[in-house]
Amino acid sequence: MTPKQVDSFCSKLPAAERSVQWEGMTVFKVGGKMFCVIAPPDHSGGRISFKCATEHYEALSCAEGFRPAPYLARAKWVA
């Protein structure tokens, strides 16, 4: 999925709130808790980062095309 497709998908989720924070990062939250971050095209870190279930973190963080999310890996996020 492209960042635009992820943005569109997350925007349609019930109770999801979209905001722009931290130098242009698009942040999605439910109940004040982040679940997805989309970085601007020129950002050096992961372009799309998301929270995953603890039991899936290890497999996702090692899967092709994924890596532990910068600054958020300790909370089981992947990029």
Side-chain angles (χ1 to χ4, degrees), residues 38-76:
I38 304 170
D42 60 342
H43 192 268
S44 62
R47 188 74 206 289
I48 299 170
S49 300
F50 59 92
K51 173 80 171 152
C52 65
T54 302
E55 61 270 20
H56 301 296
Y57 174 76
E58 191 65 37
L60 276 173
S61 65
C62 297
E64 185 177 341
F66 291 86
R67 65 186 176 112
Y71 309 106
L72 295 168
R74 70 184 185 287
K76 309 301 185 217

Side-chain angles (χ1 to χ4, degrees), residues 8-79:
S8 177
F9 174 80
C10 290
S11 294
K12 294 174 186 170
L13 294 172
E17 298 174 3
R18 183 185 189 275
S19 63
V20 177
Q21 298 177 211
W22 314 308
E23 301 175 17
M25 301 280 196
T26 301
V27 178
F28 287 93
K29 300 178 184 181
V30 170
K33 294 194 178 248
M34 296 189 314
F35 67 90
C36 183
V37 176
I38 304 170
D42 60 342
H43 192 268
S44 62
R47 188 74 206 289
I48 299 170
S49 300
F50 59 92
K51 173 80 171 152
C52 65
T54 302
E55 61 270 20
H56 301 296
Y57 174 76
E58 191 65 37
L60 276 173
S61 65
C62 297
E64 185 177 341
F66 291 86
R67 65 186 176 112
Y71 309 106
L72 295 168
R74 70 184 185 287
K76 309 301 185 217
W77 280 62
V78 293

